[in-house]
Amino acid sequence: MSLDAKIPQGPLAEKWSKHKFDLKLVNPANKRKYDIIIVGTGLAGASAAASLAELGYNVKSFCFQDSPRRAHSIAAQGGINAAKNYQNDGDSVYRLFYDTIKGGDYRAREGNVYRLAEVSVNIIDQCVAQGVPFAREYGGLLDNRSFGGSQVSRTFYARGQTGQQLLLGAYSALNRQIHAGKVKVYTRTEMLDVVTIDGHAKGIVTRNMITGAIETHAGHAVLLCTGGYSNVFYLSTNAIGSNVTAAWRAHKRGAFFSNPCYTQIHPTCIPVTGDHQSKLTLMSESLRNDGRVWAPKTVAIAEQLRKGAIKANEVKEDDRDYFLERKYPAFGNLVPRDVASRNAKEMVEDGRGVGGSGFAVFLDFADAIKRLGEDTVRAKYGNLFDMYIQITDENPYKQPMRIYPAVHYTMGGLWVDYNLSTNVPGLYALGECNFSDHGANRLGASALMQGLSDGYFVIPYTLGDYLAKIGPKPVDTKHPAFEKTKQDVVDHVNKLLALNGTKTAEAYHRDLGHIMWEYCGMARTEEGLKKAKGLIQALKADFWKNAKVVGENEEVNASLERAGRVADFIELGELMVDDALMRRESCGGHFRVESQTEDGEAKRDDENFAFVAAWEFRGENQPEVLHKEELVFESVHLSQRNYA
């Protein structure tokens, strides 16, 4: 099957402008005849709902939280990129485009990435107009800081709570449309399936998480804005409720799943402390602006630190290895996340890890405090430092933070074309739910940029083109397809409730996470991936035999919710392993031990793997079919990434 990404012809800088003009329009009087379903209320979902309702469409918005503003976007800390060049330091739309393509290790589409860089400048204006309190310089101008993979300052921020402030801006715009009657919000409602009629997405099936009611909702298009799937690893920086169910159920209805093995390991997280943990905590990448990453130069010093015989501040300067600054002098501590993560892992494997477990390196602010003063550092990072103190009972103003890589973001997701449409007409995927903009590694501060780009500035144009072509003929939930899909959901729920074994879904989730982290985490080998596939298949069989789900459907039932999500994670985990096995190269966050340079960097195979992997579901317990979208590079030259 040939995958048509629908990338417009013509010069890179003109593609989006030309495409917008070529798209069909829906006139204002007709927009109110269309019903749009949006699943998820994070930055992509909230901005899309507010924008489409403002245009006149009727929008139904769904989230499983008790309020749209509890979406996981609220947890983003460090900032949002935009090519404003306020610092006059050489930034431009093209440089942001280039940094993003290079940061993703040349595994993203040029057209999508350039559009993202192009509309980034509009996002900041939009958010400022909404009242988002971005940090400002003394003179009142918006401030910027640096993030990994870039040598310019282009990241706009609101201390360490940028995601929260941006979501409040989108939430206020959404509330305006709720008050106007153009958006109806369904909280505590989980999407469990997509309804298709004649191959087009026409609605969804949901479960009311309070009453257990299985309900159907019809619309002319369905937009999935449901985030990523990092919780397949059990421990991640994502909210515990974050899951893959909406995207995975869409996949099983025909939507291709792309590049699932591309997962991002974030280098600056609070290290694991034991099996009692249910999630991990991120320390923003912005901290690497002023914090210096180091490990002891010798195993002997590291052992003394681990035993508590000496403290970090007692390690002499000559006995410290600022390994990122040493290996990558041009970028230093601001190398991309995949590079920083692998280097921290190397320190630990070399026996130079710190902390009680030995699985940590230091992030030290002593030089910054000496240079800037503690008050300045507190003003820039105070809430992040406070969070670290509360979790670790250690004061990072007085001693270095301990950090170690953890699963954070997923670059894979549902396959979409330039219009953000999946291969199922009428079904769209926005934000982290799709695969389109980051290649094999996302640069920091680009997730917020993509979510708001898709919701505010892309989907309002591209969705109209589809709607104009299908016309406003009403969609009725009385159609047999709705009843059939609803019954499928009821049967699946009953199958889960019938499980009366001895092991909880959470225990299976933890087991899956151990397998994924061990064999499909920061480093992968063919032998390990093959072993993981067998382990996951055995885990799946055992789940459907020995899992225990308590309670009934007609009530608040966290056991049922968790079981459904874990069942989907297990199936996704197997596909991630298949994808990693197939891709016999290293690129970005996908590091195959068999494919590395002499210096231990990721070694791509552009001749054989410069493509997007799009997987097609072909039935339960059947191998998925791989489709390839070849990546064409006209504006950048493929080369080995170099941050030295």
Side-chain angles (χ1 to χ4, degrees):
M1 177 180 178
S2 176
L3 290 173
D4 182 7
K6 297 184 173 64
I7 304 296
Q9 297 297 313
L12 190 64
E14 299 173 11
K15 288 182 185 294
W16 179 229
S17 296
K18 180 179 183 300
H19 189 62
K20 285 190 291 185
F21 182 78
D22 291 340
L23 293 170
K24 292 184 179 296
L25 301 176
V26 178
N27 85 55
N30 283 342
K31 288 190 173 81
R32 58 178 174 266
K33 300 176 183 178
Y34 291 93
D35 299 318
I36 312 300
I37 290 172
I38 301 180
V39 185
T41 58
L43 288 180
S47 60
S51 299
L52 293 171
E54 183 76 39
L55 288 172
Y57 297 107
N58 306 307
V59 176
K60 288 184 177 182
S61 175
F62 297 82
C63 67
F64 62 74
Q65 299 93 343
D66 60 353
S67 166
R69 62 167 291 187
R70 294 195 191 278
H72 184 61
S73 298
I74 203 170
Q77 297 170 345
I80 176 172
N81 288 330
K84 286 286 197 180
N85 195 31
Y86 282 171
Q87 303 295 317
N88 198 30
D89 57 357
D91 200 11
S92 64
V93 168
Y94 189 87
R95 189 176 294 278
L96 175 53
F97 154 76
Y98 176 78
D99 286 346
T100 305
I101 286 284
K102 177 183 176 183
D105 218 350
Y106 305 95
R107 289 296 177 261
R109 291 188 195 131
E110 283 190 341
N112 284 70
V113 176
Y114 191 89
R115 177 177 64 188
L116 177 65
E118 185 179 352
V119 304
S120 71
V121 297
N122 301 326
I123 295 171
I124 303 305
D125 298 338
Q126 171 90 2
C127 295
V128 169
Q130 289 174 337
V132 174
F134 287 122
R136 293 179 181 268
E137 296 176 331
Y138 177 77
L141 299 177
L142 295 181
D143 197 11
N144 292 118
R145 57 190 178 198
S146 299
F147 259 63
S150 170
Q151 291 180 303
V152 299
S153 295
R154 63 163 68 102
T155 305
F156 296 79
Y157 64 98
R159 294 188 76 188
Q161 50 186 245
T162 313
Q164 179 180 4
Q165 298 302 329
L166 290 172
L167 188 60
L168 287 172
Y171 179 61
S172 65
L174 176 61
N175 268 341
R176 180 175 183 271
Q177 297 306 319
I178 294 171
H179 181 72
K182 296 302 293 180
V183 176
K184 184 175 181 180
V185 175
Y186 296 79
T187 60
R188 301 295 290 159
T189 303
E190 184 167 26
M191 176 196 140
L192 296 180
D193 216 333
V194 176
V195 180
T196 60
I197 300 176
D198 298 328
H200 288 241
K202 293 297 183 184
I204 61 174
V205 181
T206 63
R207 178 179 180 271
N208 184 306
M209 297 166 69
I210 305 297
T211 67
I214 308 297
E215 300 166 330
T216 56
H217 301 270
H220 293 89
V222 176
L223 279 56
L224 300 184
C225 310
T226 52
Y229 49 87
S230 286
N231 278 350
V232 69
F233 289 87
Y234 185 72
L235 287 180
S236 83
T237 65
N238 282 201
I240 293 174
S242 297
N243 63 84
V244 77
T245 289
W248 190 252
R249 304 290 173 86
H251 174 55
K252 296 177 82 167
R253 290 292 177 186
F256 293 170
F257 210 107
S258 281
N259 300 337
C261 77
Y262 288 169
T263 53
Q264 181 167 82
I265 313 295
H266 197 294
T268 54
C269 298
I270 298 178
V272 176
T273 58
D275 289 339
H276 63 281
Q277 283 182 269
S278 57
K279 76 176 299 295
L280 297 173
T281 303
L282 173 69
M283 289 284 100
S284 170
E285 182 176 308
S286 63
L287 295 173
R288 288 197 277 145
N289 271 274
D290 292 305
R292 301 180 69 191
V293 180
W294 64 274
K297 278 188 177 179
T298 67
V299 174
I301 296 174
E303 288 177 346
Q304 287 184 290
L305 286 164
R306 290 195 290 268
K307 293 175 181 177
I310 59 173
K311 295 181 179 180
N313 291 339
E314 297 172 354
V315 179
K316 297 177 182 179
E317 192 71 15
D318 289 344
D319 291 330
R320 301 181 180 193
D321 181 8
Y322 295 94
F323 53 91
L324 295 180
E325 298 173 31
R326 169 174 56 82
K327 295 179 67 175
Y328 311 99
F331 283 75
N333 294 297
L334 287 172
V335 292
R337 291 173 175 177
D338 60 315
V339 177
S341 294
R342 281 197 296 275
N343 276 272
K345 180 175 181 285
E346 287 177 11
M347 294 298 108
V348 168
E349 291 176 343
D350 195 34
R352 294 192 278 151
V354 300
S357 67
F359 284 88
V361 294
F362 289 125
L363 181 62
D364 198 334
F365 285 85
D367 285 353
I369 291 173
K370 183 178 180 180
R371 184 179 73 254
L372 303 171
E374 185 173 317
D375 290 343
T376 299
V377 172
R378 190 182 303 275
K380 295 173 71 174
Y381 309 113
N383 63 307
L384 296 171
F385 278 47
D386 291 344
M387 185 166 62
Y388 184 87
I389 292 170
Q390 291 170 14
I391 293 172
T392 66
D393 196 29
E394 298 173 2
N395 187 346
Y397 295 104
K398 304 300 181 184
Q399 58 184 321
M401 288 183 179
R402 290 176 295 106
I403 58 169
Y404 195 65
V407 179
H408 179 54
Y409 188 90
T410 53
M411 285 74 67
L414 294 180
W415 182 90
V416 294
D417 62 18
Y418 192 71
N419 295 325
L420 304 183
S421 172
T422 71
N423 58 295
V424 177
L427 180 64
Y428 293 78
L430 283 64
E432 192 179 357
C433 184
N434 74 38
F435 86 100
S436 64
D437 289 15
H438 305 297
N441 174 65
R442 177 177 68 82
L443 293 184
S446 288
L448 307 185
M449 178 173 61
Q450 185 202 356
L452 293 181
S453 166
D454 288 354
Y456 282 138
F457 299 110
V458 178
I459 200 64
Y461 287 95
T462 61
L463 179 62
D465 182 70
Y466 170 75
L467 297 175
K469 292 174 181 176
I470 66 169
K473 181 181 177 181
V475 185
D476 194 342
T477 56
K478 294 180 181 178
H479 190 284
F482 280 87
E483 187 57 38
K484 171 65 169 64
T485 308
K486 179 180 178 180
Q487 189 58 50
D488 290 344
V489 169
V490 171
D491 292 344
H492 186 69
V493 168
N494 288 337
K495 184 180 179 182
L496 289 168
L497 288 168
L499 293 172
N500 192 29
T502 59
K503 190 173 176 180
T504 66
E506 182 175 3
Y508 281 102
H509 195 180
R510 189 185 294 273
D511 290 345
L512 174 66
H514 283 310
I515 296 169
M516 296 302 296
W517 179 252
E518 181 68 23
Y519 302 110
C520 198
M522 274 198 281
R524 297 117 187 234
T525 66
E526 182 153 356
E527 179 184 6
L529 289 166
K530 288 179 178 178
K531 181 177 180 179
K533 184 174 176 66
L535 291 172
I536 294 172
Q537 289 175 333
L539 189 71
K540 179 180 178 180
D542 192 67
F543 175 89
W544 289 109
K545 180 180 179 182
N546 293 320
K548 184 176 184 63
V549 180
V550 300
E552 301 176 350
N553 178 58
E554 291 73 22
E555 61 181 355
V556 176
N557 191 336
S559 176
L560 173 62
E561 295 162 18
R562 173 64 72 92
R565 296 168 187 174
V566 171
D568 293 332
F569 274 137
I570 292 173
E571 294 180 357
L572 168 66
E574 185 175 354
L575 181 61
M576 290 172 66
V577 168
D578 286 340
D579 191 45
L581 260 174
M582 172 277 300
R583 192 168 286 277
R584 291 181 172 87
E585 65 163 353
S586 292
C587 54
H590 169 64
F591 190 77
R592 285 288 293 266
V593 173
E594 304 94 337
S595 182
Q596 55 183 303
T597 67
E598 292 181 359
D599 298 326
E601 304 292 346
K603 183 179 181 181
R604 296 193 320 272
D605 180 353
D606 295 329
E607 182 177 351
N608 295 303
F609 292 100
F611 62 79
V612 174
W615 295 91
E616 179 186 3
F617 181 78
R618 296 300 293 269
E620 298 291 345
N621 300 313
Q622 298 297 314
E624 298 219 2
V625 175
L626 173 64
H627 302 279
K628 299 179 182 179
E629 178 202 330
E630 300 296 332
L631 291 169
V632 178
F633 295 92
E634 299 174 345
S635 299
V636 297
H637 174 66
L638 290 172
S639 61
Q640 174 68 34
R641 285 193 304 171
N642 182 7
Y643 292 98

